[in-house]
Amino acid sequence: EGLIWLDGEMVDWREAKVHVLTHTLHYGMGCFEGVRAYETDRGAAIFRLQEHTDRLYRSAHILGMEIPFSKEELNQAQKDAVAKNNLKQAYLRPMVFFGSEGMGLRADNLKVHVMVAAWEWPAYMGEEAKTKGIRIRTSSYTRHHVNITMCKAKANGNYMNSMLALREALDSGCEEALLLDNEGYVAEGSGENIFIVRDGVLYTPELTSCLDGITRNTIFKFAADLGYQVKEKRITRDEVYVADEAFFTGTAAEVLPIRELDGRKIGTGVRGPITEQLQTMYFDQVMGKREA
Ligand code: PLP
């Protein structure tokens, strides 16, 4: 139920359909965003809207897809998707995809379509996970990337490994997966960036093996405000095992403590103090209680 913004118009959810010959359905070339709106004192507020729109345009540009709308139009589309559906806490899914004008890999003369859907969305892994932390396992699937620059894009075809990794983790009784890169270094979760804390310093993998996360960038700012150093570097699995603290970041996961990796307790096995500090700042900011 509700309305979906499709190619410039608000259409009924049931009418927002694509053809079975939709090119992106066959070959996976396309990009999307995951955006969130929070209920604040001033009504529903979309967190980091401009950053998400900017990344969507960068993703499309990397894929050579030209979005036939301006950034302002897409910002407005996202605001409308929330407002016209009377949503308060919402997840938004803007997506850019090729139409069904032709098959094959040349993909010339294909129409670029854009849609924005939004739906009510409470906490991703439940309230308890936010305070207690989650248990994760190293995946047998590696972080898939076509090439290094794809880390700047949220591309459709990239999520097969993420889905397989998450399924594997859930089947083994964990809540999330940790994907390694092709060289065996820590990359990211199925849909989250990872940070570890060691002796008061934060470490996170470089952008060669993980998405250029907007929440990741937010943590960089918070850490600077609090006087913590953040180092981007290659991280091994062992370093996560012996870290004082570890947490995931993402629009969906927000700031989520990790209490265990591969059955090994991280730190004291509870949410660490720096994680808690950053988490509090994050919730204050998304709720509009703290200046962006
Ligand atoms: N890594 C992957 C693979 C993702 O899909 C996401 C998406 O949300 C993230 C990390 C976190 O990025 P952001 O903080 O922009 O949501």
Side-chain angles (χ1 to χ4, degrees), residues 55 154 159 188 190-193 211 213-215 249-251:
R55 188 171 63 185
K154 265 177 89 80
Y159 280 79
E188 59 183 344
S190 69
E192 304 87 14
N193 290 108
L211 184 76
I214 287 163
T215 320
T249 65
T251 299

Side-chain angles (χ1 to χ4, degrees), residues 35-180:
V35 192
R36 223 160 147 168
Y38 287 88
E39 189 176 3
T40 71
D41 297 342
R42 283 160 278 140
I46 301 176
F47 188 61
R48 297 270 194 270
L49 173 63
Q50 190 61 51
E51 282 87 339
H52 283 284
T53 301
D54 288 344
R55 188 171 63 185
L56 187 69
Y57 275 75
R58 285 201 303 273
S59 297
H61 183 66
I62 288 170
L63 299 176
M65 298 173 83
E66 198 173 328
I67 298 180
F69 296 94
S70 68
K71 287 186 177 180
E72 291 70 33
E73 283 171 315
L74 273 204
N75 281 344
Q76 193 56 47
Q78 293 171 81
K79 288 179 192 163
D80 288 350
V82 173
K84 298 228 158 84
N85 288 304
N86 297 316
L87 299 171
K88 293 180 179 72
Q89 295 192 92
Y91 189 78
L92 289 92
R93 168 51 49 81
M95 184 165 133
V96 178
F97 58 101
F98 279 136
S100 52
E101 297 80 13
M103 281 288 123
L105 303 185
R106 291 175 62 118
D108 43 7
N109 301 322
L110 288 172
K111 193 164 179 237
V112 175
H113 296 274
V114 188
M115 75 92 187
V116 181
W119 53 88
E120 193 74 32
W121 223 58
Y124 183 48
M125 292 198 191
E127 291 300 328
E128 205 183 90
K130 289 187 196 172
T131 50
K132 284 200 167 162
I134 59 165
R135 294 166 55 237
I136 66 171
R137 63 163 279 177
T138 306
S139 182
S140 63
Y141 299 96
T142 49
R143 204 275 187 195
H144 172 75
H145 51 260
V146 182
N147 60 38
I148 285 168
T149 50
M150 290 306 282
C151 295
K152 289 276 179 198
K154 265 177 89 80
N156 288 359
N158 273 352
Y159 280 79
M160 202 163 64
N161 284 22
S162 282
M163 289 179 67
L164 291 168
L166 180 59
R167 170 62 37 216
E168 181 185 57
L170 295 174
D171 285 348
S172 66
C174 289
E175 279 103 34
E176 245 302 350
L178 179 65
L179 285 85
L180 306 179

